[in-house]
């Protein structure tokens, strides 16, 4: 039987996926809550892409997660709409993908019968709305009236808006969802825009001839500049406006910031390398000096000594020619 959730109870933690309409396929929150109790005190990560569902099931799941003694991390990987936003509020930490949506609105209800029955249903919906606003206020610092007006209007928030208002703690990298939903039951939504963003669909815009000409001339100027050739001023200027494309503008700004950071890191590393090279040269000089001193200290003085004292024969000593003559007479 199909279910709107799956639970993987691991040795150290548990992962729960909510990827459909809560309470659908004949599976209520009762089974979900029972499996939560079997997890024990382990930390839980919940991955969510849900259009909402049964409001009573959603509030029951919220209460079960809030009472869980382990850490609860919520990851909104696509859409968190209607009652699924209430479940998200149970997280100790709430993350949302960059291309995700967060939608809050008034609870729906159906009733049959006379006017008294209708009034009872309306009163019940008002009570549910008040309870949902109270749950939101446990997370965000927004007044009751503002939240009530947002629900009346069926407010769709981007990840940036949800972060700014305090519904989520962090924005993560965009994630392409595996499935989208029929949003026709909602009244204040551009369904194609939402689904395109969730599916990371890129709308390609053809380049105009004017833009092609400008781009080619710019490419030639860059090549000439690299070769060292003189670049003449362009005769015709083309004004290219990208400000109307928020995604392109953000990517260009991100690229520019990355280039600046890399240049700063390069300069910092160059300074460190130069400093280390100077230190290495200084150490090499000190090593050479120490080796020279060590060789000098190990050297011994060379002394040449005769085995015996040389004998001096007076007869062999010649003083001058008269001495030689005298010696010859005496002989």
């Amino acid at each position: 039987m199909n279910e709107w959730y799956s639970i993987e109870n691991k040795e150290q933690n548990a992962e729960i996926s909510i990827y459909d309409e809560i309470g659908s396929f004949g599976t209520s929150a009762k089974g979900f809550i029972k499996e939560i109790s079997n997890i024990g005190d382990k930390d839980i990560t919940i991955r969510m892409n849900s259009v909402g569902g049964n409001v009573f099931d959603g509030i029951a799941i919220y209460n079960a997660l809030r009472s869980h003694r382990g850490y609860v991390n919520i990851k909104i990987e696509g859409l968190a709409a209607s009652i699924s936003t209430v479940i998200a509020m149970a997280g100790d930490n709430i993350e949302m993908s960059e291309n995700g949506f967060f939608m809050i609105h008034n609870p729906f209800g159906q009733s049959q019968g006379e006017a008294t029955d209708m009034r009872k249903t309306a009163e019940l919906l008002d009570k549910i709305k008040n309870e949902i606003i109270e749950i939101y206020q446990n997370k965000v610092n927004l007044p009751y009236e503002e939240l009530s007006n947002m629900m009346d209007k069926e407010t769709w928030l981007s990840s940036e808006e949800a972060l700014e208002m305090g519904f989520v703690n962090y924005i993560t990298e965009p994630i392409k969802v595996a499935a989208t939903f029929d949003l026709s039951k909602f009244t204040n939504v551009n369904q194609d825009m939402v689904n395109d963003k969730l599916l990371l669909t890129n709308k390609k815009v053809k380049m105009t001839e004017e833009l092609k000409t400008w781009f080619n001339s710019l490419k030639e100027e860059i090549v000439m500049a690299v070769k060292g050739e003189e670049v003449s001023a362009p005769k015709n200027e083309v004004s290219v406006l990208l400000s109307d494309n928020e995604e392109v503008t953000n990517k260009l700004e991100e690229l520019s910031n990355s280039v600046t950071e890399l240049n700063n890191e390069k300069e910092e590393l160059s300074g460190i390398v130069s400093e280390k090279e100077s230190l290495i040269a200084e150490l090499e000089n000190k090593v050479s000096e120490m080796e020279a001193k060590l060789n000098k200290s190990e050297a011994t003085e060379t002394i040449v000594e005769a085995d015996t004292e040389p004998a001096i024969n007076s007869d062999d000593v010649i003083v001058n020619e008269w001495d030689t003559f005298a010696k010859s007479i005496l002989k």
Side-chain angles (χ1 to χ4, degrees):
M1 181 175 63
N2 290 327
E3 293 182 332
W4 45 269
Y5 71 90
S6 64
I7 298 180
E8 185 179 1
N9 194 354
K10 302 179 181 180
E11 183 177 352
Q12 300 296 330
N13 52 40
E15 285 199 5
I16 301 175
S17 299
I18 300 178
Y19 285 153
D20 218 311
E21 188 169 344
I22 297 162
S24 60
F25 306 113
T27 305
S28 69
K30 186 176 181 180
F32 182 95
I33 294 172
K34 183 178 180 180
E35 292 193 57
I36 290 291
S37 64
N38 293 334
I39 293 174
D41 297 340
K42 299 175 185 176
D43 294 343
I44 296 176
T45 296
I46 297 182
R47 303 182 183 278
M48 181 182 296
N49 177 38
S50 174
V51 73
N54 187 288
V55 64
F56 297 107
D57 283 348
I59 292 176
I61 292 170
Y62 166 83
N63 289 327
L65 291 174
R66 286 303 298 165
S67 61
H68 181 68
R69 285 176 290 183
Y71 188 83
V72 178
N73 186 35
I74 303 289
K75 293 179 177 287
I76 302 173
E77 297 186 344
L79 176 62
S82 189
I83 197 62
S84 64
T85 62
V86 173
I87 296 175
M89 296 299 99
D92 297 301
N93 177 66
I94 306 171
E95 303 173 5
M96 185 174 179
S97 65
E98 183 182 333
N99 61 319
F101 285 94
F102 191 96
M103 188 278 281
I104 64 175
H105 69 156
N106 287 328
F108 290 159
Q110 294 179 342
S111 178
Q112 291 181 341
E114 59 184 12
T116 302
D117 298 320
M118 300 297 180
R119 277 192 288 271
K120 287 181 179 178
T121 300
E123 290 173 0
L124 177 61
L125 290 174
D126 286 338
K127 288 181 180 179
I128 294 173
K129 178 178 180 179
N130 290 336
E131 185 173 353
I132 290 174
I133 290 177
E134 185 177 332
I135 291 173
Y136 288 149
Q137 286 186 311
N138 289 333
K139 176 66 177 175
V140 302
N141 188 25
L142 294 176
Y144 177 94
E145 288 300 326
E146 184 173 351
L147 286 168
S148 179
N149 290 335
M150 290 173 65
M151 294 175 71
D152 290 342
K153 297 175 183 178
E154 186 188 288
T155 302
W156 292 76
L157 301 176
S158 66
S159 57
E160 292 83 1
E161 292 168 332
L163 177 65
E164 183 179 354
M165 291 186 175
F167 287 105
V168 301
N169 300 105
Y170 300 101
I171 297 176
T172 59
E173 291 295 317
I175 298 175
K176 182 177 180 179
V177 299
T180 57
F181 304 98
D182 180 6
L183 306 178
S184 59
K185 65 181 178 180
F186 302 120
T187 60
N188 189 34
V189 60
N190 183 331
Q191 179 165 308
D192 290 337
M193 183 272 291
V194 171
N195 286 333
D196 283 344
K197 192 170 183 181
L198 292 175
L199 292 171
L200 296 178
T201 302
N202 295 322
K203 298 292 186 180
K204 296 184 179 180
V205 181
K206 292 184 178 180
M207 189 180 294
T208 64
E209 290 301 322
E210 183 184 22
L211 185 57
K212 285 182 181 179
T213 303
W214 170 81
F215 179 78
N216 290 330
S217 63
L218 181 62
K219 182 175 66 175
E220 293 176 1
E221 290 177 15
I222 294 174
V223 172
M224 292 174 65
V226 171
K227 292 180 178 180
E229 301 176 4
E230 185 177 352
V231 180
S232 59
K235 296 179 180 179
N236 298 320
E237 294 185 357
V238 177
S239 178
V240 181
L241 298 178
L242 298 176
S243 58
D244 58 338
N245 191 322
E246 183 180 356
E247 184 179 358
V248 173
T249 303
N250 291 338
K251 291 298 181 183
L252 287 174
E253 184 178 355
E254 182 181 344
L255 180 60
S256 176
N257 292 336
S258 299
V259 171
T260 302
E261 290 177 4
L262 288 173
N263 286 333
N264 292 337
E265 291 179 3
K266 180 181 177 182
E267 292 179 2
E268 183 179 352
L269 288 173
S270 297
I272 294 174
V273 170
S274 299
E275 182 180 347
K276 296 300 182 184
E277 288 178 347
S278 300
L279 181 60
I280 291 172
E282 183 179 349
L283 289 173
E284 288 177 345
N285 291 335
K286 288 184 178 180
V287 169
S288 298
E289 291 178 5
M290 292 179 66
E291 288 178 345
K293 289 180 180 180
L294 182 63
N295 292 334
K296 187 175 181 180
S297 65
E298 291 178 348
T300 56
E301 182 179 0
T302 303
I303 302 175
V304 179
E305 296 181 351
D307 293 337
T308 57
E309 288 293 332
I312 300 175
N313 187 349
S314 58
D315 293 338
D316 295 333
V317 177
I318 300 174
V319 178
N320 51 43
E321 294 180 357
W322 291 106
D323 288 338
T324 303
F325 178 71
K327 287 181 180 181
S328 61
I329 295 176
L330 290 174
K331 290 181 179 178

